[in-house]
Amino acid sequence: MKAINRIKIVLVEQNKTGKWLAEQLNKNEATVSRWCTNESQPSLDTLIKISEVLKIDVKDLLISTKII
């Protein structure tokens, strides 16, 4: 499966864990883990909440699919 989000990368950059993010969002750790491994994707609303919790632009959570 192709990587779509950068949640795991941003968490590492900020020295935060998936467990921490799950607690902030009131989500199951397994759900956050699936997002981090790109097995599944959060909804757009959840992605916005993640960006707010991590204090970054929502665009920084996505991997560009633009072909140059």
Side-chain angles (χ1 to χ4, degrees):
M1 174 173 264
K2 186 176 178 182
I4 296 173
N5 74 58
R6 299 181 66 248
I7 296 171
K8 182 176 184 177
I9 297 165
V10 174
L11 286 172
V12 169
E13 290 172 349
Q14 294 191 8
N15 293 317
K16 300 201 178 347
T17 64
K19 180 179 180 178
W20 175 86
L21 183 59
E23 290 170 356
Q24 301 303 306
L25 299 171
N26 199 27
K27 297 282 185 186
N28 187 297
E29 279 183 63
T31 299
V32 173
S33 176
R34 286 192 297 275
W35 297 339
C36 288
T37 58
N38 278 282
E39 289 179 42
S40 67
Q41 300 300 320
S43 68
L44 185 54
D45 287 341
T46 303
L47 205 58
I48 292 168
K49 289 177 188 170
I50 293 168
S51 72
E52 290 169 353
V53 166
L54 295 173
K55 297 179 175 71
I56 62 170
D57 191 306
V58 71
K59 292 184 287 186
D60 293 333
L61 290 174
L62 302 173
I63 294 174
S64 176
T65 58
K66 184 178 178 181
I67 299 173
I68 299 173

